[in-house]
Amino acid sequence: MIQEITRKGFKVLGSFILPREIKADLADYKEYARKVVNLYKDIISIWEIYIQPKEDSIPDLIRNKELIQAIAEAIKEADPKAIIAGNLPYGKQDYEPVDSETLDLFDIISLNYKPSILTEPQQAVLEAYKSLRESFPEDKKALPLWQI
């Protein structure tokens, strides 16, 4: 399948979904990321760095700054041409989830609505989200959207 996708000219995005808390040596995370990128750099040109948030909360990207930096460095060391995407939640207009130094590690930003931080003008999105969840089978309604 991946050959068909790349033959058609699609760009492929790989994701590093990182833990909320650093549970290993940063060098181990970095070595893992370097090996993954080396293995797939002929297929994947964009790498997303995503800190898994607690259910319906905002990931703490500032607290995980060293981990994000280690993964970003590993990506660029393994593939200097790689594009690094940062995954950020948004909703409140005054919310600043990352400092400029961390933001500078990314080439592109992926924004995700978080229903818990929507402002009043974004209530239509919240209603659409609720309707979407209601359409799921009963045994799936409590799962995060990405697990349905």
Side-chain angles (χ1 to χ4, degrees):
M1 180 168 134
I2 201 73
Q3 288 83 9
E4 178 69 10
I5 290 169
T6 54
R7 186 180 63 75
K8 289 191 173 215
F10 285 99
K11 291 192 182 292
V12 180
L13 175 109
S15 290
F16 286 103
I17 301 176
L18 305 176
R20 288 183 284 275
E21 296 175 22
I22 299 171
K23 298 182 181 194
D25 189 284
L26 283 175
D28 292 335
Y29 284 112
K30 190 172 180 177
E31 183 61 18
Y32 164 73
R34 188 177 9 259
K35 286 183 177 183
V36 169
V37 174
N38 272 323
L39 183 61
Y40 294 106
K41 67 183 174 184
D42 293 334
I43 299 167
I44 298 173
S45 57
I46 304 168
W47 292 94
E48 176 183 49
I49 299 175
Y50 182 77
I51 303 290
Q52 185 66 29
K54 293 178 181 171
E55 187 172 326
D56 211 27
S57 69
I58 299 164
D60 187 349
L61 298 178
I62 294 173
R63 180 185 52 162
N64 289 291
K65 183 177 179 175
E66 289 107 8
L67 180 54
I68 293 168
Q69 185 172 7
I71 298 299
E73 287 173 1
I75 292 168
K76 288 297 188 177
E77 287 169 9
D79 184 3
K81 295 179 184 175
I83 295 169
I84 300 177
N87 188 297
L88 304 176
Y90 72 108
K92 289 187 178 179
Q93 295 169 3
D94 62 349
Y95 178 64
E96 295 290 338
V98 262
D99 61 13
S100 62
E101 187 177 322
T102 304
L103 199 58
D104 287 344
L105 297 170
F106 305 128
D107 299 304
I108 189 170
I109 300 296
S110 167
L111 296 176
N112 290 311
Y113 271 119
K114 296 297 289 178
S116 64
I117 60 172
L118 294 179
T119 56
E120 285 187 34
Q122 298 163 324
Q123 288 304 309
V125 173
L126 180 57
E127 293 307 315
Y129 173 80
K130 288 178 182 177
S131 294
L132 176 64
R133 293 207 65 83
E134 286 300 314
S135 70
F136 295 148
E138 208 54 48
D139 64 330
K140 305 280 187 193
K141 287 185 180 180
L143 294 174
L145 293 180
W146 55 270
Q147 288 186 340
I148 303 299

